[in-house]
Amino acid sequence: MADHHYKFNVEMSCGGCSGAIERVLKKLDGVKSYDVSLDTQTANVIAQADLPYETVLDKIKKTGKKVTSGEADGVSRGIE
């Protein structure tokens, strides 16, 4: 099965914000790589096929940061 590409738009105001997201992604099993950008307010995640979008979304939301939109493999997805 192919890897998933998840993209989240996240409100981040400082390096601590982006660092918090990087820390949870680094610990999440199934994440192959990620790029969190304070400049573009995005978190791009390459995940194994068995890691659901909702799991990654929940981990990012648990940092306390507001996710404003998300997509999975190029298709817009809910953020609730």
Side-chain angles (χ1 to χ4, degrees):
M1 292 174 67
D3 293 340
H4 291 298
H5 179 212
Y6 302 139
K7 179 178 180 182
F8 302 93
N9 291 308
V10 186
E11 291 182 4
M12 298 177 278
S13 58
C14 65
C17 297
S18 57
I21 294 170
E22 288 175 353
R23 283 190 296 278
V24 297
L25 293 174
K26 183 166 71 173
K27 293 179 185 175
L28 184 57
D29 286 337
V31 171
K32 292 181 132 184
S33 66
Y34 56 87
D35 178 48
V36 179
S37 172
L38 183 59
D39 291 336
T40 61
Q41 303 280 292
T42 58
N44 289 291
V45 180
I46 304 297
Q48 293 175 356
D50 60 348
L51 180 60
Y53 167 87
E54 293 80 11
T55 301
V56 181
L57 174 63
D58 287 344
K59 288 292 183 185
I60 292 173
K61 288 170 90 174
K62 283 184 180 178
T63 66
K65 307 302 165 229
K66 182 178 181 184
V67 178
T68 57
S69 67
E71 62 182 55
D73 302 318
V75 177
S76 288
R77 296 284 300 269
I79 55 168
E80 297 304 320

